[in-house]
Amino acid sequence: MSQKPVLRFAPSPTGMLHIGGARTALFNWLYARHTGGTFLLRIEDTDRERSTPEAVDAILNGMTWMGLDWDGEVTYQFARAPRHREVAEKLLAEGKAYRCYATAEELTAMREEQKAAGKPMRYDGRWRDRQAGSAEEGKPSVVRLKARQTGETIVHDVVLGDVRFENSQLDDMVLLRSDGTPTYMLAVVVDDADIGVTHVIRGADHLNNAARQLQLIEAMGAAIPTYGHLPLINGPDGAKLSKRHGALAVEAYRDMGYLPETMRNYLLRLGWSHGDDEIIPTAQAIEWFNFESIGKSAARMDYKKLDNLNGHYIRETADATMVAEVTAFLAREKRTLSMTARQRLETAMPSLKERAKTLVELIAGAEFLFTDGPRTLDAAADKLLPPEARAALAAALPALEATDWTGPALEAAARAHTEAAGVKLGQVAQPLRAALTGKASSPPLFEMLALLGREESLIRLRAYAG
Ligand code: GLU
């Protein structure tokens, strides 16, 4: 029986969960869910100076919001340092690693000589075949891997194909620092080997590490995972994605009002394709996902596409779910909705969904449902209510008051009134809308009048009738 795939996402908690990291997590998650394998989350917190609890929270929250659930407990790399040391000691004992006593000054001098001679700067292996003598006793040392010096190391990459590295270009990397702490290169390989990771899918910035890590895996006698290095994500202008391009953190997309389903679809398409399909809901993505269709070249952010996709998912999402999304969004801003507001929101949701590309837009368009009483007009609504419009509003009120308070009846009454008065429907409807919602555009006016009810509507309309 062949083994089920084991994948992992291994972020370093030195900042937020950024969009590239989220895509890496998504691709690992999709493959695990596609194959019925396992998706693990490992926090690589070995850099004690730069790792923060806030960043850990941001990563966990970001993953949770994105709907990327991991299997089992989160593991923390730093806690496994004794195990990493144990592996280094074993390699030492087996002669696959060695102690290097070169001082910082000696290494600086070595690099300067190499630089002056126009040679690449790398560790020259000065302690590789040398035994420590009495002079070295008690002196600090690092542990280095005795890497192969000839031939080549080939990374068989499911995205990039075979990538070859001359072993002469790779120096003997440090596994344990002089204070005994493991390096990232050691920790990542030991952790992956210990949990039986079968597929290492990560950003292309780790491709060079893969060659060195392979040598370490071989020295340990561990199984070689399948590698996949994902091309970078660029800004809309094709340059490396940076703060200048706007949002980098997943949280920022949440706060701009994008839905998690939108983000999953968008990030999937950013570097993976299925013919010309743009709309790929997550369930479909799980069914289709494969490594073969990951693009080889850098992907470009396209915010317009993101907006369109979000509009699509807003319309597709069930009304009750959208109410829950809005409620959660408002809760993050420490706002709560009354029961009445929630009911109004739910009733108006089919119309609100049609008009919004983001939750922020949807909420802005729904504010008039959340509280009672006369509206404060925004600039556009204010323009719709000059004195003559207020007079037209006042003149229309008796006709509305006299009718049943339902959408069709109110519309019929408004039409009959405008026909009799010889004015266009818009001349009455626009001031009505402005007074009712405080805005120049809204979901269908007569539906909204019915939704708010006779009493509440008349309070709002009378405030601007005159
Ligand atoms: N901790 C590394 C990072 O955040 C990822 C290491 C890996 O995936 O192998 O870039």
Side-chain angles (χ1 to χ4, degrees):
M1 205 182 81
S2 75
Q3 194 203 356
K4 289 260 187 213
V6 178
L7 295 102
R8 76 342 183 244
F9 176 50
S12 304
T14 52
M16 68 257 172
L17 175 61
H18 59 81
I19 206 84
R23 187 189 58 168
T24 299
L26 174 71
F27 283 20
N28 278 285
W29 180 85
L30 281 173
Y31 193 72
R33 297 296 173 255
H34 172 75
T35 55
T38 311
F39 173 63
L40 303 166
L41 178 59
R42 179 174 70 234
I43 302 290
E44 302 210 314
D45 54 352
T46 41
D47 183 343
R48 303 311 286 167
E49 307 236 303
R50 292 174 61 227
S51 299
T52 66
E54 292 75 29
V56 173
D57 284 349
I59 291 166
L60 300 185
N61 290 339
M63 295 278 291
T64 305
W65 178 72
M66 286 275 300
L68 304 178
D69 56 326
W70 54 92
D71 301 313
E73 298 287 318
V74 178
T75 54
Y76 291 83
Q77 190 159 63
F78 181 66
R80 290 180 36 86
R83 168 64 185 149
H84 305 145
R85 258 194 297 279
E86 181 183 296
V87 171
E89 300 290 348
K90 183 161 181 273
L91 292 172
L92 260 183
E94 293 171 348
K96 294 173 178 165
Y98 61 94
R99 285 196 183 280
C100 164
Y101 291 87
T103 62
E105 294 76 38
E106 285 167 4
L107 293 176
T108 308
M110 173 193 79
R111 280 189 218 101
E112 269 164 18
E113 271 171 38
Q114 289 168 337
K115 198 172 164 193
K119 291 194 187 142
M121 288 185 282
R122 66 173 85 92
Y123 177 68
D124 59 6
R126 55 183 64 193
W127 278 92
R128 194 178 157 101
D129 299 308
R130 192 167 147 194
Q131 285 300 315
S134 55
E136 278 74 46
E137 220 166 287
K139 292 257 173 71
S141 64
V142 300
V143 174
R144 290 183 182 270
L145 179 71
K146 203 177 251 182
R148 268 183 282 128
Q149 291 178 313
T150 55
E152 54 181 17
T153 297
I154 306 175
V155 178
H156 301 289
D157 193 287
V158 289
V159 178
L160 305 170
D162 283 358
V163 187
R164 293 162 186 276
F165 296 84
E166 291 291 332
N167 289 333
S168 58
Q169 308 290 312
L170 310 170
D171 59 6
D172 289 347
M173 66 175 167
V174 175
L175 303 178
L176 287 185
R177 299 187 191 89
S178 56
D179 62 0
T181 56
T183 58
Y184 158 71
M185 295 293 271
L186 173 65
V188 76
V189 167
V190 172
D191 286 354
D192 283 348
D194 282 358
I195 52 176
V197 167
T198 57
H199 294 74
V200 172
I201 309 300
R202 58 189 176 187
D205 47 335
H206 286 286
L207 180 63
N208 287 328
N209 287 344
R212 294 169 176 281
Q213 289 170 2
L214 262 179
Q215 298 212 345
L216 177 55
I217 291 169
E218 280 168 10
M220 285 166 56
I224 296 173
T226 298
Y227 285 104
H229 288 92
L230 309 174
L232 294 178
I233 301 177
N234 285 338
D237 57 0
K240 187 172 184 288
L241 194 62
S242 71
K243 284 215 179 95
R244 190 172 52 80
H245 290 109
L248 288 179
V250 164
E251 271 174 352
Y253 290 85
R254 181 195 70 192
D255 296 344
M256 287 187 285
Y258 295 100
L259 297 175
E261 174 99 39
T262 304
M263 294 310 290
R264 290 192 297 270
N265 188 155
Y266 183 74
L267 290 178
L268 171 68
R269 285 287 298 107
L270 214 47
W272 184 89
S273 57
H274 185 273
D276 290 334
D277 291 322
E278 289 296 347
I279 292 174
I280 308 175
T282 304
Q284 183 69 77
I286 290 175
E287 202 182 311
W288 281 343
F289 189 75
N290 61 0
F291 293 141
E292 294 73 36
S293 309
I294 296 175
K296 285 196 197 334
S297 47
R300 251 183 217 219
M301 284 296 282
D302 180 341
Y303 295 103
K304 199 152 168 249
K305 211 156 138 181
L306 180 62
D307 273 354
N308 288 336
L309 210 49
N310 206 44
H312 167 81
Y313 282 113
I314 285 178
R315 291 190 298 278
E316 288 287 302
T317 303
D319 295 345
T321 310
M322 281 306 297
V323 172
E325 289 283 355
V326 169
T327 314
F329 191 97
L330 292 173
R332 284 194 292 272
E333 296 182 336
K334 310 259 178 299
R335 292 177 69 190
T336 48
L337 292 182
S338 67
M339 271 302 283
T340 315
R342 264 186 86 102
Q343 275 158 9
R344 287 176 183 163
L345 180 64
E346 193 150 357
T347 313
M349 194 51 86
S351 305
L352 292 166
K353 284 193 328 191
E354 290 304 317
R355 325 169 60 81
K357 288 230 156 68
T358 65
L359 277 178
V360 172
E361 277 179 30
L362 190 143
I363 290 169
E367 290 286 352
F368 75 98
L369 302 169
F370 296 164
T371 53
D372 285 342
R375 298 291 93 187
T376 307
L377 306 178
D378 71 13
D382 194 50
K383 274 214 186 102
L384 294 175
L385 283 169
E388 57 279 17
R390 291 177 191 228
L393 175 54
L397 276 186
L400 298 180
E401 284 173 79
T403 189
D404 277 354
W405 210 265
T406 65
L410 286 161
E411 181 166 357
R415 281 186 191 281
H417 165 75
T418 50
E419 268 162 38
V423 296
K424 288 198 183 118
L425 182 64
Q427 283 173 277
V428 168
Q430 288 295 66
L432 274 175
R433 183 192 307 280
L436 193 75
T437 67
K439 291 181 177 293
S441 66
S442 76
L445 173 64
F446 298 105
E447 272 176 41
M448 293 305 107
L449 281 165
L451 171 76
L452 286 166
R454 179 188 290 268
E455 201 186 331
E456 175 61 22
S457 298
L458 288 174
I459 289 172
R460 296 183 183 196
L461 299 180
R462 283 185 188 131
Y464 292 102

